[in-house]
Amino acid sequence: MSKSKLFQHWPTMLLGAVVAAIMLVAVFSYSLDQSENAVVTTFGRPSLVSEPGLHFRWPYPFQKIHRFDRRIRCFEGGAGKLEETSTSDRHNILVGIFVAYRIDDAQRFFTTFNTVRNAEEQLNSWMRGTKNAVFGQYRFNQIVNPDEKELKLTEIQDKIRDDLARQGDPYGIRIETVGISALQVPRAISEKVFARMIAERKRIADKNIAEGESEARRIRIKADGDRTIALADAEAAAKEIRARGDAEAAVHYAKFKEDPELALFLRQLESLRRILKGRTTLILDTDTVPFTLLKSETEQRIAPKK
């Protein structure tokens, strides 16, 4: 091939080289993002790769890449996610739980289960057994009760989580959280449960009413006692004031007896002051007491006594 023909086809050749390079990179490398771990099997022997970025590999069947998400997964169980279990006092209840877990060691996880589906089948079996065992340690009124202080649901969840964590840890599964997703009472015993809850509520209501009535009686008795004491104190204070007034009046009466005319003059003057307290217009005879005070002294002496 001449040089001129070679240069004529160089774009096609360059494109072919680029495509070949891309294919080689795709065949001989793989990439991981921040949320992934990978288990690389070389002729069936696994090794863990956890660093994100581009990695070299041999093509299949020499090596095979198994990716596992390291983020938290929520699993509600399979066929038994809501099933009947028994309490320690032989009451049946329907319980469903969920588990939040992560793949903590991808190599151990892969070696044991190979896939997430297989792992969750085993996890479902653990959940059912642990749920039945833990709920069987508690009485019915510790699970269903209108009084929150009697409930042990948080304690039950913690026990289930600890037990599942113990079972999953050897296989690279870390249990983060366990929660109760459903809690129901079978219809066969629901009426008895509701009747008992109503009776319990009525007992509490009756107790509160009795305590309220007792408190009301105590308040009324105290109020009556305070009223009696207040009236007695007021009566005593009134008697003391009247006694002081009578004593002061006796002193003035003694003075009036010494000078009756002065006493009469002061009484008339006080009456006149009260009558003429405001702007008042009166048309009366000056011979009318106490208006005789308005007459001159001479007129008063010659006026007839009334």
Side-chain angles (χ1 to χ4, degrees):
M1 182 181 296
S2 63
K3 289 184 179 181
S4 60
K5 290 184 179 181
L6 182 61
F7 284 115
Q8 287 178 356
H9 296 287
W10 74 266
T12 304
M13 297 173 63
L14 180 59
L15 179 61
V18 171
V19 171
I22 293 173
M23 291 181 64
L24 287 173
V25 170
V27 171
F28 288 95
S29 67
Y30 65 97
S31 63
L32 290 179
D33 61 28
Q34 297 285 346
S35 63
E36 288 182 318
N37 283 331
V39 175
V40 180
T41 55
T42 305
F43 298 109
R45 188 176 61 227
S47 60
L48 176 66
V49 178
S50 58
E51 292 296 327
L54 192 65
H55 300 272
F56 172 80
R57 72 163 186 180
W58 291 106
Y60 183 81
F62 301 101
Q63 286 186 330
K64 188 176 180 180
I65 311 301
H66 306 270
R67 301 173 186 272
F68 296 99
D69 197 326
R70 69 172 78 182
R71 293 174 295 186
I72 294 177
R73 303 173 64 92
C74 185
F75 181 60
E76 294 184 336
K81 65 180 179 180
L82 180 62
E83 61 184 1
E84 194 168 295
T85 188
S86 180
T87 62
S88 63
D89 49 358
R90 300 183 181 279
H91 285 89
N92 292 333
I93 54 176
L94 296 172
V95 180
I97 65 172
F98 69 89
V99 172
Y101 74 96
R102 70 168 74 243
I103 299 173
D104 189 48
D105 189 325
Q107 185 169 342
R108 281 190 292 170
F109 182 88
F110 172 78
T111 302
T112 305
F113 303 114
N114 195 255
T115 65
V116 171
R117 181 176 180 178
N118 294 338
E120 290 187 344
E121 287 180 359
Q122 179 61 61
L123 182 57
N124 181 66
S125 177
W126 291 340
M127 290 167 61
R128 296 178 67 183
T130 301
K131 175 181 64 178
N132 293 335
V134 173
F135 272 94
Q137 301 172 13
Y138 292 85
R139 299 186 307 276
F140 181 82
N141 64 353
Q142 294 177 310
I143 300 169
V144 179
N145 199 312
D147 187 359
E148 294 184 0
K149 295 180 180 179
E150 297 292 329
L151 294 177
K152 300 293 184 180
L153 295 179
T154 301
E155 183 177 316
I156 291 172
Q157 291 175 162
D158 292 342
K159 281 191 174 183
I160 295 175
R161 182 198 61 206
D162 294 343
D163 192 68
L164 290 178
R166 179 183 55 79
Q167 295 180 75
D169 183 68
Y171 306 107
I173 298 177
R174 179 191 296 178
I175 304 298
E176 300 287 351
T177 305
V178 171
I180 298 173
S181 58
L183 181 59
Q184 301 176 12
V185 179
R187 183 170 305 199
I189 64 172
S190 60
E191 293 182 1
K192 295 181 181 179
V193 173
F194 293 147
R196 186 168 59 188
M197 292 176 67
I198 291 171
E200 178 68 16
R201 287 294 188 181
K202 186 176 183 303
R203 185 187 65 79
I204 295 173
D206 292 342
K207 178 183 176 182
N208 291 337
I209 291 172
E211 290 177 352
E213 291 177 348
S214 175
E215 182 67 12
R217 285 194 297 271
R218 187 189 66 79
I219 293 173
R220 283 196 294 269
I221 292 171
K222 184 178 184 299
D224 291 341
D226 293 343
R227 174 178 173 274
T228 302
I229 293 172
L231 289 175
D233 291 343
E235 183 66 24
K239 289 180 179 179
E240 183 181 351
I241 293 171
R242 282 197 296 269
R244 287 201 304 266
D246 292 342
E248 292 177 3
V251 174
H252 292 298
Y253 288 150
K255 295 292 183 182
F256 288 161
K257 287 181 181 180
E258 295 175 2
D259 193 345
E261 292 185 0
L262 175 62
L264 179 62
F265 173 76
L266 292 176
R267 293 292 299 270
Q268 291 178 348
L269 187 62
E270 178 65 22
S271 299
L272 189 61
R273 183 183 296 112
R274 291 182 179 179
I275 293 172
L276 301 177
K277 186 176 182 180
R279 299 180 61 183
T280 308
T281 301
L282 296 172
I283 302 175
L284 295 170
D285 186 356
T286 55
D287 291 333
T288 303
V289 178
F291 296 101
T292 56
L293 295 176
L294 301 176
K295 300 169 71 176
S296 65
E297 184 177 351
T298 302
E299 291 174 332
Q300 291 183 30
R301 281 199 299 267
I302 64 177
K305 299 292 185 179
K306 292 187 178 180

